[in-house]
Amino acid sequence: MIMQPELFTAPPPAPDWIAGVDEAGRGPLAGPVFAAAVILDPDRPIEGLADSKKLSARRREVLAQQIRERALAWAIAQADVETIDRVNILQATLLAMSQACAALSRPPRLILVDGNRLPAGLPCAARAVIGGDALEPAISAASILAKTARDACCLALHAQYPGYAFDQHKGYGTALHLERLMQFGPCPAHRRSFAPVRRLLQDTQA
């Protein structure tokens, strides 16, 4: 009798999905900090991905829609003002990044994070990439989603607190924003732990 060798079918290798991660809103005096994680689909490329800060608002919105439609997976998370004031802006940013990665519908094999720090508790191997939003398409995509989500939040803050002109300065410490802060005082959306807001509160309590 001729013995036939048993045939074993090896499981297919896990896809080499790479997630890019970036944040928006570390520097402003008000509003949450946002983070996004994106796994791009190599079969559905998106032209024009770049650091979100170098794109016009209109171009960011167009690309954000394409990312949401074509990416294999994407997620956006935020850390609110109370969290920022409690744990500091760096830790709040890392927390939002970690939450965005955890919310991805597909598990990545590698996570690329813009900057020089990695969040704790990531689900796979990770690497920090300084200037990654201009170097890695997945990080560029994440920067665009985070920025557009943050800008939408600022428009909502403007509707809630129109006197502060959040639609114009997006929470950053511009001359207009500081002028309105002096005029009206901080609103609930302002970060009490940030120096200009903290000093103003100290002056009013003196």
Side-chain angles (χ1 to χ4, degrees):
M1 184 172 64
I2 299 174
M3 301 292 295
Q4 294 290 334
E6 291 187 25
L7 298 178
F8 293 95
T9 302
D16 290 327
W17 288 328
I18 297 175
V21 180
D22 202 2
E23 55 75 27
R26 281 186 64 175
L29 307 179
V33 61
F34 283 77
V38 178
I39 302 175
L40 292 173
D41 185 347
D43 294 328
R44 304 185 72 191
I46 300 171
E47 296 294 329
L49 293 175
D51 177 0
S52 63
K53 297 184 291 295
K54 297 183 179 180
L55 300 169
S56 68
R58 174 59 184 159
R59 185 62 181 152
R60 283 195 299 266
E61 291 294 339
V62 170
L63 287 170
Q65 182 64 30
Q66 293 179 2
I67 294 164
R68 289 190 290 266
E69 292 173 350
R70 300 184 192 178
L72 288 172
W74 60 271
I76 300 171
Q78 62 175 290
D80 60 22
V81 171
E82 291 76 13
T83 301
I84 292 169
D85 287 338
R86 185 177 73 252
V87 303
N88 76 45
I89 184 59
L90 173 59
Q91 295 305 317
T93 301
L94 295 175
L95 175 62
M97 287 180 166
S98 179
Q99 291 174 340
C101 291
L104 287 170
S105 60
R106 299 174 185 234
R109 290 285 296 277
L110 175 66
I111 294 173
L112 302 178
V113 180
D114 184 58
N116 60 2
R117 300 286 295 269
L118 290 175
L122 293 177
C124 65
R127 187 167 77 244
V129 183
I130 296 174
D133 49 6
L135 300 173
E136 296 286 348
I139 299 180
S140 299
S143 77
I144 291 166
L145 288 192
K147 174 63 174 170
T148 52
R150 161 85 192 174
D151 285 352
C153 175
C154 288
L155 293 179
L157 288 177
H158 176 68
Q160 192 171 4
Y161 308 107
Y164 294 90
F166 285 115
D167 60 326
Q168 298 181 50
H169 52 67
K170 303 299 191 297
Y172 284 92
T174 65
L176 173 61
H177 192 182
L178 294 176
E179 175 189 315
R180 299 299 172 85
L181 259 177
M182 292 293 296
Q183 182 178 358
F184 300 114
C187 74
H190 282 100
R191 302 172 181 178
R192 266 64 179 163
S193 57
F194 277 46
V197 182
R198 185 174 65 246
R199 285 196 299 266
L200 186 58
L201 289 170
Q202 290 171 345
D203 291 343
T204 58
Q205 294 170 1

